[in-house]
Amino acid sequence: MDEYETLKWGEVMSDHLQYLEEKRKIDSYFEKGYQIVSIFENLSGTFVDFVTSNDSGEREIVQLQLLTAESRKYIASKLIIN
Amino acid sequence: MADLRISFAGIKSPNPFWLASAPPTNSGYQVQRAFEAGWGGAVWKTLGEPIINTTSRFAALSFNGQRVAGFNNIELITDRPLEVNLKEIYETKKRFPNHAIIASLMVEPKQEKWHEIVKRVEDVGVDGLELNFGCPHGMAERGMGAASGQVPELVEKQTYWVKEVAKTPVIVKLTPNITDITITAEAAVQGGADAISMINTINSLMGVDLDTWNTIPHVAGKGAHGGYCGPAVKPIALNMVGECARNPLIDVPISGIGGISNWQDAVEFILMGATGVQVCTAAMHHGFSIVEDMLDGLNNYLDSKGIASIMDIVGKAVPKYSDWGDLDLNYKVVARINNDVCINCNKCHISCEDTSHQCIDMLKNENGEPYLKVREEDCVGCNLCAIVCPVEGAINMVELKQPLPKMTWNERQSNIARFKIDKVAK
């Protein structure tokens, strides 16, 4: 909640815009060749760990926290598509 | 002209509309008049040791001008000796041999009691028996009715006792005053039931008088819970019928009961797995003649769909009734407002803004005239705006085709399971 305290009413990002941002990040990681290595879910949402290997073979792991329901659907749908 | 005849667990009836065991089927006079009006069958008011009733007995809920939206009663089973009822059943069956007469029965949970009443009732030529394991008031305090029907072992055992001697089909009438009606339905099947019927009435207290503080109804200043029925209970009954119909362990016909007031209600129950329906409150509200509209409406409906027989639609909607986990998460509908029809009452905006997802904007056009518009990207398709809208056709729920494949919750969990690890929140 802290991050919203400085915002005025009406300035909080809509669920839809937040989803679009999360979707953009998901798509971006896939486009860059990242693969999902783990997913865990808890009270704070869904956490997706993406991994990729750089030219020297070192693994790079990034974690994405999905806050919106649409994103939680989207990430699982991508698993079906892929 | 469609064929409206049904065969319910072997019981033949000229149409699927039966009167339920209740005040409308208290006597031969009433049942014969009902058959003359067009009812296909009647479940005689429950036979057992004659009881003593109170006055008053009934109360009703009127809601926004609709009389008898819900109905409550504290009346018990028949107050007439068995011989009197049997004589009238015999005479009625003799006069209406092609109509279905079912005897509703309730005795103490003792084998010899069930054997005695079954033999005596079948001797007068009933077409079937309905075991009343559902009456929630009065008799339940004496260990019968719902008190029996809430204990699966008692349902099974008593059904078994009846089947030991019964020569006609045995229908077990179930109480809705239980967490999961499929448990007692399965018990009835285990006991050998040929069919089940549901629902009996729901425990209820209709109200409290604000001046006298008496319950409604009251008997000399005291009240007791009654059984609730009528249009208000239809969704509860329909769900219970559907849950039983889709349960593979409950492989017997179902007689649907609960708030059925017109042919449309009846079709819904039949589509959801009932082979026939029983009606009480609507007949008590409007009289036996309502069956005329039910017959006409059902016949016209079947003809309009080119369906030859009512039996052809039994259970056709059951495959569509599933678990939440099997619903497609990627199916999406949104609200769309038809501004040519909308009267700008703003009820949709208020309901969405206050209690849903804040996606209906109040805007003004170039002439300064107000209009409402849904931000479809934020709409979750909950239906609330269309539900509260007072104008037919002003808000339509439309499907938005999605680029994502069908995916249920169960499929989602299965898909992500291979990546899932156990971690606590960071």
Coordinates of all heavy atoms in Angstrom, one line a residue, chain B residues 49-85:
Chain B
E49 N -49.8 -42.2 10.8 CA -50.8 -42.0 11.9 C -51.4 -40.6 11.9 O -50.6 -39.7 11.9 CB -50.0 -42.3 13.3 CG -49.7 -43.8 13.4 CD -49.1 -44.1 14.8 OE1 -49.3 -43.3 15.7 OE2 -48.4 -45.1 14.9
P50 N -52.7 -40.5 11.9 CA -53.3 -39.2 11.8 C -52.8 -38.2 12.9 O -52.7 -38.6 14.0 CB -54.8 -39.4 12.0 CG -55.0 -40.9 11.7 CD -53.7 -41.6 12.1
I51 N -52.6 -37.0 12.5 CA -52.0 -36.0 13.4 C -53.0 -35.0 13.8 O -54.2 -35.0 13.4 CB -50.8 -35.3 12.7 CG1 -51.1 -34.7 11.4 CG2 -49.6 -36.3 12.5 CD1 -51.9 -33.5 11.4
I52 N -52.6 -34.0 14.6 CA -53.4 -32.9 15.0 C -52.7 -31.6 14.6 O -51.5 -31.5 14.9 CB -53.6 -32.9 16.5 CG1 -54.3 -34.1 17.0 CG2 -54.4 -31.6 16.9 CD1 -54.3 -34.3 18.5
N53 N -53.3 -30.8 13.8 CA -52.7 -29.6 13.3 C -53.0 -28.4 14.2 O -53.9 -28.4 15.1 CB -53.2 -29.2 11.9 CG -52.3 -29.9 10.9 OD1 -51.1 -29.8 10.9 ND2 -52.9 -30.5 9.9
T54 N -52.3 -27.3 14.0 CA -52.5 -26.0 14.7 C -53.2 -25.1 13.8 O -53.3 -25.3 12.6 CB -51.2 -25.4 15.1 OG1 -50.4 -25.1 13.9 CG2 -50.4 -26.3 16.1
T55 N -53.7 -24.0 14.3 CA -54.1 -22.8 13.5 C -53.3 -21.7 14.2 O -53.1 -21.6 15.4 CB -55.5 -22.4 13.5 OG1 -55.9 -22.1 14.8 CG2 -56.4 -23.6 13.1
S56 N -52.7 -20.8 13.4 CA -52.7 -20.8 11.9 C -51.5 -21.7 11.4 O -50.7 -22.1 12.2 CB -52.6 -19.4 11.3 OG -51.4 -18.8 11.8
R57 N -51.4 -21.8 10.1 CA -50.4 -22.7 9.5 C -49.5 -22.2 8.4 O -48.4 -22.7 8.2 CB -51.2 -24.0 8.9 CG -52.1 -24.6 9.9 CD -52.9 -25.7 9.2 NE -54.0 -26.1 10.1 CZ -54.9 -27.1 9.8 NH1 -54.8 -27.7 8.6 NH2 -55.9 -27.4 10.6
F58 N -50.1 -21.2 7.7 CA -49.3 -20.7 6.5 C -48.9 -19.3 6.7 O -49.5 -18.5 7.5 CB -50.2 -20.8 5.3 CG -50.8 -22.1 5.0 CD1 -52.0 -22.2 4.3 CD2 -50.1 -23.3 5.3 CE1 -52.5 -23.5 4.0 CE2 -50.6 -24.5 4.9 CZ -51.9 -24.6 4.3
A59 N -47.9 -18.9 6.0 CA -47.4 -17.5 5.8 C -46.8 -17.4 4.5 O -46.3 -18.4 3.9 CB -46.5 -17.1 6.9
A60 N -46.8 -16.2 3.9 CA -46.2 -16.0 2.6 C -45.3 -14.7 2.6 O -45.6 -13.8 3.3 CB -47.2 -16.0 1.5
L61 N -44.4 -14.8 1.7 CA -43.5 -13.6 1.5 C -44.0 -12.9 0.2 O -44.0 -13.5 -0.9 CB -42.1 -14.1 1.3 CG -41.0 -13.0 1.0 CD1 -40.7 -12.2 2.3 CD2 -39.7 -13.6 0.5
S62 N -44.4 -11.7 0.3 CA -44.6 -10.9 -0.8 C -43.4 -10.0 -1.1 O -42.9 -9.4 -0.1 CB -45.9 -10.0 -0.6 OG -47.0 -10.8 -0.5
F63 N -43.0 -9.9 -2.3 CA -41.8 -9.1 -2.6 C -42.0 -8.2 -3.8 O -42.3 -8.6 -4.9 CB -40.6 -10.0 -2.9 CG -39.3 -9.3 -3.0 CD1 -38.6 -8.9 -1.8 CD2 -38.7 -9.0 -4.2 CE1 -37.5 -8.2 -1.9 CE2 -37.5 -8.3 -4.3 CZ -36.9 -7.9 -3.1
N64 N -42.0 -6.9 -3.5 CA -42.1 -5.9 -4.5 C -43.4 -6.1 -5.3 O -43.3 -6.0 -6.6 CB -40.9 -5.8 -5.4 CG -39.8 -4.9 -4.9 OD1 -40.0 -4.2 -3.9 ND2 -38.8 -4.8 -5.6
G65 N -44.5 -6.4 -4.7 CA -45.7 -6.5 -5.4 C -46.0 -7.9 -5.8 O -47.2 -8.2 -6.2
Q66 N -45.1 -8.8 -5.8 CA -45.4 -10.2 -6.2 C -45.9 -11.0 -5.0 O -45.1 -11.1 -4.0 CB -44.2 -10.9 -6.8 CG -44.6 -12.4 -7.2 CD -43.5 -13.2 -7.8 OE1 -42.5 -12.7 -8.2 NE2 -43.7 -14.5 -7.7
R67 N -47.1 -11.4 -5.0 CA -47.7 -12.2 -3.9 C -47.1 -13.6 -3.9 O -46.9 -14.1 -5.0 CB -49.2 -12.2 -4.0 CG -49.9 -10.9 -4.1 CD -50.0 -10.2 -2.7 NE -50.9 -10.9 -1.8 CZ -51.0 -10.5 -0.5 NH1 -50.3 -9.6 0.0 NH2 -51.9 -11.2 0.2
V68 N -46.9 -14.1 -2.8 CA -46.4 -15.5 -2.6 C -45.1 -15.8 -3.4 O -45.0 -16.8 -4.2 CB -47.5 -16.5 -3.0 CG1 -47.2 -17.9 -2.5 CG2 -48.9 -16.1 -2.5
A69 N -44.2 -14.9 -3.3 CA -42.9 -15.2 -3.8 C -42.2 -16.4 -3.1 O -41.5 -17.1 -3.6 CB -42.0 -14.0 -3.8
G70 N -42.6 -16.5 -1.8 CA -42.2 -17.6 -1.0 C -43.3 -18.0 -0.1 O -44.2 -17.1 0.2
F71 N -43.3 -19.2 0.3 CA -44.5 -19.7 1.1 C -43.9 -20.6 2.2 O -43.0 -21.4 2.0 CB -45.4 -20.5 0.2 CG -46.7 -20.9 0.8 CD1 -47.8 -20.0 0.7 CD2 -47.0 -22.1 1.4 CE1 -49.0 -20.3 1.3 CE2 -48.2 -22.4 1.9 CZ -49.2 -21.5 1.9
N72 N -44.6 -20.5 3.4 CA -44.1 -21.2 4.5 C -45.3 -21.9 5.2 O -46.4 -21.3 5.3 CB -43.4 -20.2 5.5 CG -43.2 -20.7 6.9 OD1 -44.2 -20.8 7.7 ND2 -42.0 -20.9 7.3
N73 N -45.1 -23.1 5.6 CA -46.2 -23.8 6.3 C -45.7 -24.6 7.5 O -44.5 -25.1 7.5 CB -46.9 -24.7 5.3 CG -46.3 -26.1 5.3 OD1 -46.7 -27.0 6.0 ND2 -45.3 -26.3 4.4
I74 N -46.6 -24.7 8.5 CA -46.3 -25.6 9.7 C -47.3 -26.7 9.8 O -47.5 -27.2 10.8 CB -46.1 -24.8 11.0 CG1 -47.4 -24.0 11.3 CG2 -44.9 -23.9 10.9 CD1 -47.4 -23.4 12.7
E75 N -48.0 -27.0 8.6 CA -49.0 -28.0 8.6 C -48.3 -29.4 8.6 O -47.2 -29.5 8.0 CB -49.9 -27.9 7.4 CG -51.0 -28.9 7.4 CD -52.0 -28.6 6.3 OE1 -52.7 -27.6 6.4 OE2 -52.1 -29.5 5.4
L76 N -48.9 -30.4 9.2 CA -48.2 -31.7 9.3 C -48.9 -32.6 8.2 O -49.4 -32.1 7.2 CB -48.4 -32.3 10.7 CG -47.9 -31.4 11.8 CD1 -48.0 -32.1 13.1 CD2 -46.4 -31.0 11.6
I77 N -48.7 -33.9 8.4 CA -49.2 -34.9 7.4 C -50.7 -35.0 7.6 O -51.4 -34.2 8.3 CB -48.5 -36.2 7.5 CG1 -48.8 -36.9 8.9 CG2 -47.0 -36.0 7.3 CD1 -48.3 -38.3 9.0
T78 N -51.3 -36.0 6.9 CA -52.8 -36.1 7.0 C -53.3 -36.2 8.4 O -52.7 -36.8 9.3 CB -53.3 -37.3 6.1 OG1 -54.7 -37.3 6.1 CG2 -52.8 -38.6 6.8
D79 N -54.5 -35.6 8.6 CA -55.1 -35.7 9.9 C -56.3 -36.7 9.8 O -57.2 -36.7 10.8 CB -55.5 -34.3 10.5 CG -56.5 -33.6 9.6 OD1 -56.9 -34.1 8.5 OD2 -56.9 -32.5 9.9
R80 N -56.4 -37.4 8.7 CA -57.5 -38.3 8.6 C -57.1 -39.8 8.7 O -55.9 -40.1 8.3 CB -58.1 -38.1 7.2 CG -58.5 -36.6 6.9 CD -59.2 -36.4 5.7 NE -58.6 -37.0 4.5 CZ -59.3 -37.4 3.4 NH1 -60.6 -37.1 3.4 NH2 -58.7 -38.0 2.4
P81 N -57.9 -40.6 9.2 CA -57.5 -42.0 9.4 C -57.1 -42.7 8.0 O -57.6 -42.3 7.0 CB -58.8 -42.7 9.9 CG -59.6 -41.6 10.5 CD -59.3 -40.4 9.7
L82 N -56.3 -43.6 8.1 CA -55.8 -44.3 6.9 C -56.9 -44.9 6.0 O -56.9 -44.7 4.8 CB -54.8 -45.4 7.3 CG -54.1 -46.1 6.1 CD1 -53.3 -45.2 5.3 CD2 -53.3 -47.3 6.6
E83 N -57.9 -45.5 6.7 CA -59.0 -46.1 6.0 C -59.7 -45.1 5.1 O -60.2 -45.4 4.0 CB -60.0 -46.8 6.9 CG -59.5 -48.0 7.7 CD -58.5 -47.6 8.8 OE1 -58.5 -46.4 9.2 OE2 -57.9 -48.5 9.4
V84 N -59.9 -43.9 5.6 CA -60.6 -42.9 4.9 C -59.8 -42.5 3.6 O -60.4 -42.4 2.5 CB -60.9 -41.6 5.7 CG1 -61.5 -40.5 4.9 CG2 -61.7 -42.0 6.9
N85 N -58.6 -42.3 3.8 CA -57.7 -42.0 2.6 C -57.7 -43.1 1.6 O -57.8 -42.9 0.4 CB -56.3 -41.6 3.1 CG -56.2 -40.2 3.6 OD1 -56.5 -39.2 2.9 ND2 -55.8 -40.0 4.9

